Amino acid sequence: MSDSDPTSRPSRPRKYPFDPLPPWVGPSTRVVHGARRPDYNTGSVVPPIYQTTTYHWPPERSESSDRAQAYLYTRTLSPTSEGPAEVIRQLEGGESARLFASGMGAITATVLSLLRSGDRLVALENLYGGTTDFVTELLPRYGVSVREVSWHDALEPEKVVPDGTTLAIVESPTNPTLSVHDLARWARATKRVGATLLVDNTFATPLNQNPLALGADLVVHSATKYLGGHSDLTAGVVVGPERLVSRIDEKQYLGATLDPFAAFLLGRGLKTLALRVARQNENGRRVAEAARDHRAVERVHYPGWGSEREGEIAQRQMRGRGGMVSLSLKGGAAAVEDFLSGLRLVHIAASLGGVESLASVPARTSHRHLSEETRRARGIDPGLVRLSLGIEDPDDLVRDITESLDRAL
Ligand SMILES: Cc1ncc(COP(=O)(O)O)c(C=O)c1O
């Protein structure tokens, strides 16, 4: 991530470059200054929102050699999106980054750009529900063969990524049971057969985990979550080598373009990412430890706590464990009702990664489309509650959650 590292420089020259950062800056500085480029019209320190769809395009511009860098139409390139894309690129340590209107926009554009009919895809079976639907329902209609891999089989990726695989999609930690997969081992297994490895790093954030440094080819995020961080925008991003991102970029006619206002909000949110994630890591750990000692709780799901092996992998590949914690309550669905009705600070809502803590019930939200039997096989029992811890005072969250657990006894 330093400036002496070639991955910290975008391979495509920019018409209006960002000020280079000294190589010694840390992530908190990088999120604030990583996309510094005083506005070329006014010198404004905060980048303005270019709320326009189109740009002057006199005949001489169509002739110029830097056409690819020129602003023509907002679906293809917007100055407001370049700053946040640049910060995320630097945080993930990739050559190139492209923003989208949502995480699903980033995932579908990436996968559709890289695959063709006859290709083979390997996907973890407990990916985000939208991704699972897309790869298992839609892609086979276009001639892509899809192999879903169980959590258990994913422990030995070399056995489930056969020759002839084009693309593999992995998440770690996974939703909602927060299992940890060995990304470096997945990278070795996919490289061996010449497949591309795509990692959804939404739950970990680039502050806690960098899949590209572990050998993955591409990283995607739902920037709606931690990167934006305030539950007030939807966005997505893909980061990776220019040779792959430019193939995705060519397909801008797919149209999941980030709106300039959402791009501005994302750029604003990113500036506090390091502060937020540090507090969310702390709140996740504090709540997980408090819940582990509570009599209403059967099991706490927290990255690295699943087994000794997962603990060792998390230690190796994550700098922090994040702000997600899931609780299996002994009293099942009835206990979940009692728990939720006791919460005074934590909102009951889907999604994650914002400054405010949220509680959701996967069996009723993200995983409601699965049968009861499939849910149980994936560890999603009726007593499972997923918590996304925000940036509130740790003691306040521990109190709100443990007092609500008392009601679930
Ligand atoms: C891990 C993960 N990936 C992708 C997505 C999709 O992102 P979006 O809702 O921004 O389209 C989500 C949404 O919840 C998610 O949790």
Side-chain angles (χ1 to χ4, degrees), residues 19 48 50 62 98 119 130 132 151 155 165 185 199 259 265 268 270 286 291 306 315 331 336 341 375 377 393 405:
D19 292 347
Y50 286 88
S62 355
R98 165 93 176 135
D119 281 348
T132 296
W151 166 83
L155 295 174
T165 305
R185 189 166 169 180
V199 176
D259 174 77
L265 286 177
R268 182 183 161 123
L270 278 167
R286 286 281 310 275
Q315 187 66 25
V336 168
S341 66
R375 278 200 296 267
D393 289 305
L405 285 172

Side-chain angles (χ1 to χ4, degrees), residues 102-105 107 128 131 171 200 202-203 222 224-225 235 352:
S102 65
M104 283 313 299
I107 292 165
Y128 169 64
T131 313
E171 281 174 27
D200 184 332
T202 300
F203 272 46
S222 167
T224 312
K225 311 298 190 304
L352 64 130

